[in-house]
Amino acid sequence: MAPPPIQFDRASGALEGANLWERTAALALATGAKVSSHFSHRGYIGCANLLRKALPSRNIAIKLNEDATFEFPYGDGYWSKLLDRTYHYEDELELLFRHSSDVDYTLLDCGANYGYWSVLVTSRPFGPHRAIAIEPSSDNFAKLANNAYINGNRFETMKCAIGAAKGTARLSGTKHEAFSIASGANGGGEEVPVLALDDLLDDGKIAPGGKYLIKLDVEGVEIDAIKGGKKLLAGDSVIMCEEHGNDPDHTVSRYILEQTPLKLIVYDPCSNRLETVSELSILDRIKVSTHVGYNVFGTSSAFWQERINALNASTSRRMQ
């Protein structure tokens, strides 16, 4: 039987159920996250994963808020940054999720990994809202299903990838946060089913006419995913997808801006606003680190554009 997880409360900083060595490791992981935040956490994942090899094999359960618990293997390099209580994961997404707490929307969490955003969006401080967490990797899906279970099975899970059309693909990669079907049937890894976003409508998983926030963390197939969601994206939907810091051509944003009817919206950390842009040069300033991703937004919905304008107005008032 697996040992019970270590417990960490981000609000209070309380760490429970850890032995002395595990407590020392927690301090090292939190300190490393805080120090490396000054250079976009470069090197942190590798160092944390080295430390993990010296730790007993067990999970840590992070209390994200009073109604959200997120569990992952202790020492995991990608998620251990949460031990730094000043760290905010994808704060541009949190900005929109928090401001949309009163909207009746469904989160489509594509490439959900272990389900961080599905856990949060379905919690009381964020709504709560319906969420469908979609993850192709068998290893990741087991951890995603566990996070659904420990949060009362309040969000749905689907084991598949998102692409341009229904089919199958090969999932490749060595890092759990970067598995990809970008190599198609020749990827050489686990064979996984593929759905298009519009299949969720056609198959009755979601209803036409609803409001949707769609997180596309699909590692290189963002454009294919957008192509497969034309019907869904014509309604009251917002896509949130990653611009890779090492892509000077801003390929995903360029596609949204030049090849779709969607408005391109970019989070500007200088103004703490979601700016609607028609010129990609703003990304030259925003994408300062080549080893991280930056989320951009696309929508053709008047409703969501009005909500984003209201969000920006409230942000401006708070800054005055």
Side-chain angles (χ1 to χ4, degrees):
M1 182 179 293
I6 297 166
Q7 306 286 328
F8 179 69
D9 188 331
R10 291 201 85 207
S12 67
L15 184 73
E16 299 177 355
N19 62 32
L20 180 60
W21 168 229
E22 290 166 335
R23 286 183 172 276
T24 302
L27 179 61
L29 290 165
T31 303
K34 190 179 293 289
V35 171
S36 64
S37 68
H38 297 293
F39 37 93
S40 302
H41 295 101
R42 183 180 291 275
Y44 178 83
I45 290 178
C47 292
N49 284 336
L50 280 175
L51 177 60
R52 179 182 174 185
K53 294 179 179 179
L55 292 168
S57 180
R58 64 187 301 198
N59 282 358
I60 183 167
I62 306 279
K63 191 172 183 180
L64 301 175
N65 63 42
E66 68 271 18
D67 189 39
T69 300
F70 180 63
E71 193 170 304
F72 57 87
Y74 189 45
D76 176 86
Y78 187 78
W79 289 113
S80 289
K81 294 186 286 288
L82 293 170
L83 287 163
D84 170 15
R85 294 165 61 202
T86 66
Y87 169 69
H88 292 280
Y89 179 67
E90 296 186 324
D91 49 4
E92 66 274 23
L93 300 190
E94 182 165 343
L95 189 68
L96 181 57
F97 288 140
R98 283 195 178 277
H99 193 264
S100 305
S101 62
D102 62 325
V103 177
D104 183 13
Y105 73 83
T106 296
L107 170 67
L108 302 181
D109 190 359
C110 306
N113 190 260
Y114 301 167
Y116 177 89
W117 284 119
S118 290
V119 168
L120 269 183
V121 161
T122 57
S123 71
R124 286 189 299 273
F126 280 76
H129 298 280
R130 182 189 179 203
I132 303 175
I134 302 169
E135 171 58 41
S137 160
S138 292
D139 287 344
N140 286 359
F141 188 82
K143 297 175 177 65
L144 169 65
N146 178 63
N147 275 315
Y149 173 75
I150 65 175
N151 287 280
N153 287 316
R154 66 190 185 202
F155 59 88
E156 301 170 61
T157 58
M158 294 179 64
K159 187 186 179 302
C160 64
I162 295 295
K166 191 175 289 187
T168 60
R170 291 281 176 177
L171 189 69
S172 59
T174 57
K175 299 178 180 179
H176 70 76
E177 68 273 18
F179 290 139
S180 176
I181 62 165
S183 298
N186 301 315
E190 175 186 0
E191 184 175 88
V192 297
V194 179
L195 288 180
L197 286 171
D198 282 347
D199 288 326
L200 299 174
L201 283 172
D202 296 340
D203 296 345
K205 270 314 261 190
I206 58 174
K211 294 179 173 61
Y212 299 97
L213 293 179
I214 307 164
K215 177 182 163 290
L216 289 178
D217 192 353
V218 290
E219 301 297 334
V221 293
E222 292 86 359
I223 290 174
D224 280 349
I226 294 168
K227 289 178 179 177
K230 290 180 180 177
K231 285 189 291 186
L232 184 58
L233 298 179
D236 283 330
S237 299
V238 180
I239 53 166
M240 304 169 281
C241 52
E242 192 173 69
E243 259 291 346
H244 294 280
N246 61 1
D247 177 11
D249 293 326
H250 318 311
T251 304
V252 175
S253 294
R254 188 177 301 279
Y255 179 81
I256 292 171
L257 189 62
E258 297 178 358
Q259 304 294 325
T260 78
L262 308 176
K263 298 284 188 182
L264 176 66
I265 299 167
V266 177
Y267 173 69
D268 187 346
C270 292
S271 63
N272 195 33
R273 289 165 54 93
L274 296 174
E275 306 285 4
T276 301
V277 298
S278 57
E279 174 52 57
L280 292 174
S281 61
I282 187 174
L283 290 167
D284 294 325
R285 171 171 61 80
I286 291 171
K287 291 165 59 174
V288 296
S289 298
T290 59
H291 67 288
V292 300
Y294 298 83
N295 285 296
V296 298
F297 305 75
T299 188
S300 60
S301 164
F303 171 83
W304 282 113
Q305 289 176 62
E306 289 173 6
R307 292 291 304 197
I308 288 169
N309 290 338
L311 185 160
N312 288 333
S314 65
T315 299
S316 298
R317 287 194 296 271
R318 287 196 302 271
M319 294 178 66
Q320 288 174 355

